[in-house]
């Protein structure tokens, strides 16, 4: 078996953050791969929820959209979108929200709306979708995205989804009782908010990755935990399941539907 | 009888300047009806849809819309909507005004519209920037607890257009699978147009709680097999994910887009969708 790519390491490490007892609101893209890998390996009991209303879905291939038929066909039940957001998310039933993003800052706030000013954007991104309320209302939030100086920026052009705001007890001062982002899983390291300041701190480096390499792909001066272990590497079993999942998915999406 | 040919129904129900919702959360997206709108050259529409998707990329790229109410405007799992971006970033083919929300807010706004309320209340928009750029997002103090809660205006479009699996002979409509906000969007609208895959004598064995829109809630039912393609109709045909991937290239360039629209929309009719219907 060929060694894991940085993206595969990111997906496996992100998957490991989930537990079988979690009820997880799944964002599209990288989070979807991680959540389904968790379900197919160490967390078979996990409940995966997509914003299209599918509860307890068990897709055999990764959905391209958050509303592929596969999600509905394999779900325990499918509810309307108002019910999903009002009863299940706002109702406080979700233990983990799993998000990606275009840009993140040092307090794990996310931007998926615009690059440049809102009225005259340089790049118009898709927008918030479910993310603003997922970030606010799930009991905790995991974020997964690849490192890069254009993604990990000192200042966001737009706060689409609240992480820890300006740090410290900002969330609590806004009346939120949820924990917010507790872990950011990248292709080079894992970051966690400092218990007091809430600034993202590198808490483990992936195998073969240096502090300098991680810093070069981040737009603000990073803090590193005093004890900096190596992230446990992906096991052969995890990689095998992930690669099979991606193979099935590619076959399904490139092929003709009928 | 509510049954009408699609071109007649669009002509009768959708007027220049209307606020037009076309819903369907990834599933059951009314592409055939949107194409008919484009062929009939409707103008100055305010379009409403939580997830604009390819259908609105096509409408916006053809200059149908002056404004857009939405909560996530992308090609799911693929990337940008290039025509939407071109309209926002370069005002091509015309400027477009954005009324941008989150999913939780628009889902609540649909619920409020169907319930005949003036606004929706939610635990939303805490600590984020959207309320700074959208004056429609406001707040209210709970009269019981004193809490500050976010509000958004109810959605009450002139007309809602959706696609569903089937109608019975009386024009009642059944939809199933990912049902999104379609029931709310129909009940919130002044007029409602539904395209369906087929008409059946009887809905047959079904859940006692099946989602059915009675004929008397609808202004028109149009039989358009395949009418949700390249999205899908659960039980009839699958989402054409390969086309969603291909759209990224088609829509990236203005000329390529216009050539595609001419060949596949302007020079076609609603009947051309039938080739996408169920393969037995």
């Amino acid at each position: 078996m060929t060694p894991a790519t940085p993206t595969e390491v990111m997906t496996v490490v992100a998957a490991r953050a989930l537990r079988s007892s979690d009820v997880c609101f799944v964002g599209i893209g990288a989070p979807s791969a991680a959540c389904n890998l968790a379900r197919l390996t160490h967390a078979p009991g996990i409940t995966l929820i997509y914003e299209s209303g599918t509860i307890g879905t068990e897709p055999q291939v990764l959905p391209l959209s958050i509303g592929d038929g596969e999600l509905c066909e394999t779900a325990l039940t499918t509810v309307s979108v108002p019910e999903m957001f009002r009863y299940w998310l706002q109702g406080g039933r979700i233990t983990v929200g799993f998000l990606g993003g275009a840009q993140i800052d040092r307090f794990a706030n996310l931007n998926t709306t615009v690059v440049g000013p809102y009225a005259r954007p340089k790049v118009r991104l898709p927008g918030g979708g479910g993310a603003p309320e997922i970030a606010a209302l799930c009991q905790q939030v995991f974020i997964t995205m690849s490192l890069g100086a254009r993604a990990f920026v000192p200042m966001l052009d737009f706060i689409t989804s609240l992480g820890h705001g300006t740090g410290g007890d900002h969330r609590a001062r806004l009346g939120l009782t949820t924990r917010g982002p507790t872990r950011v899983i990248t292709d080079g390291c894992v970051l966690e908010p400092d218990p007091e300041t809430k600034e993202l701190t590198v808490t483990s480096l992936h195998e073969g990755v240096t502090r300098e390499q991680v810093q070069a792909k981040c737009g603000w001066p990073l803090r590193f935990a005093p004890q900096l272990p190596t992230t446990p590497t992906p096991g052969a079993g995890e990689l095998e399941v992930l690669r099979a999942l991606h193979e099935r998915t590619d076959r399904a999406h490139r092929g003709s539907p009928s | 009888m509510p049954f009408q040919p699609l071109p007649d129904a669009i002509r009768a129900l959708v007027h220049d300047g209307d606020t037009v919702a076309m819903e369907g959360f990834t599933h059951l997206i009314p592409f055939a009806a949107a194409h008919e709108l484009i062929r009939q050259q409707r103008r100055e529409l305010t379009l409403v849809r939580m997830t604009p998707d390819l259908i609105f990329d096509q409408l916006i790229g053809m200059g149908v819309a002056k404004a857009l109410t939405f909560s996530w405007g992308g090609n799911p799992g693929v990337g940008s909507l290039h025509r939407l971006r071109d309209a926002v970033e370069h005002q091509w083919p015309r400027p477009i005004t954005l009324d941008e929300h989150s999913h939780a807010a628009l889902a609540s706004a649909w619920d409020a519209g169907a319930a005949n309320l003036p606004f929706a209340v939610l635990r939303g928009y805490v600590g984020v920037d959207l309320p700074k750029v959208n004056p429609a997002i406001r707040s209210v103090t709970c009269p019981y607890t004193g809490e500050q809660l976010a509000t958004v205006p109810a959605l009450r479009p002139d007309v809602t257009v959706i696609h569903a699996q089937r109608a019975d002979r009386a024009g009642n409509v059944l939809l199933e699978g990912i049902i999104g906000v379609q029931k709310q969007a129909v009940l919130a609208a002044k007029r409602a147009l539904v395209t369906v895959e087929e008409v059946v004598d009887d809905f047959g064995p079904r859940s006692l709680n099946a989602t059915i829109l009675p004929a008397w809630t609808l202004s028109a039912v149009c039989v358009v097999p395949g009418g949700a393609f390249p999205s899908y109709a659960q039980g009839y045909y699958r989402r054409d994910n390969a086309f969603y991937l291909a759209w990224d290239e088609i829509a990236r360039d203005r000329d390529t887009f216009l050539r595609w629209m001419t060949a596949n929309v302007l020079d076609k009719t609603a009947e051309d969708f039938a080739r996408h219907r169920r393969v037995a």
Side-chain angles (χ1 to χ4, degrees), chain A residues 51-52 64-69 72-73 80-82 85-86 90 118 123-124 126-127 129-130 133 158-160 162 253 257, chain B residues 25-26 71-73 76-77 85 89 100 102-104 108 121 123-125 127-129 177-178 180-181 232 234 240-242:
Chain A
E51 64 193 17
S52 55
L64 184 65
S65 76
I66 42 64
D68 283 22
C72 179
E73 287 158 17
S80 74
V81 169
F85 280 96
R86 295 180 74 74
Q90 187 171 270
Y118 183 81
V123 181
R124 175 64 231 198
E133 282 74 30
F158 197 90
I159 296 180
T160 308
L162 183 73
H253 293 177
Chain B
F25 209 86
T26 306
S71 44
W72 193 86
R85 273 188 62 178
E89 294 169 15
E100 183 170 3
S102 67
H103 280 350
S108 298
V121 58
R123 297 182 187 279
Y125 292 125
V128 302
D129 282 347
I178 290 174
V181 291
Y232 69 105
Q234 191 93 43
D240 191 348
N241 280 332

Side-chain angles (χ1 to χ4, degrees), chain B residues 62-145:
Chain B
M62 295 303 280
V64 169
K66 69 171 179 191
L68 171 67
T69 294
F70 77 111
S71 44
W72 193 86
N75 181 348
V78 180
S80 290
L81 293 176
H82 297 293
R83 296 299 97 221
L84 169 60
R85 273 188 62 178
D86 206 8
V88 174
E89 294 169 15
H90 308 111
Q91 296 76 51
W92 190 93
R94 54 161 300 163
I96 189 164
T97 307
L98 298 184
D99 169 35
E100 183 170 3
H101 291 273
S102 67
H103 280 350
L106 277 195
S108 298
W110 274 130
D111 185 64
N116 192 26
L117 290 167
F119 68 92
V121 58
L122 70 153
R123 297 182 187 279
Y125 292 125
V126 177
V128 302
D129 282 347
L130 214 40
K132 297 178 189 165
V133 296
N134 186 344
I137 301 167
R138 299 182 193 173
S139 65
V140 70
T141 304
C142 171
Y144 305 101
T145 64

Side-chain angles (χ1 to χ4, degrees), chain A residues 189-211:
Chain A
C189 64
V190 176
L191 305 103
E192 293 174 50
D194 177 271
E196 290 302 315
T197 68
K198 302 295 180 189
E199 178 171 342
L200 288 176
T201 305
V202 179
T203 53
S204 77
L205 290 169
H206 300 345
E207 194 174 27
V209 178
T210 65
R211 292 174 185 235

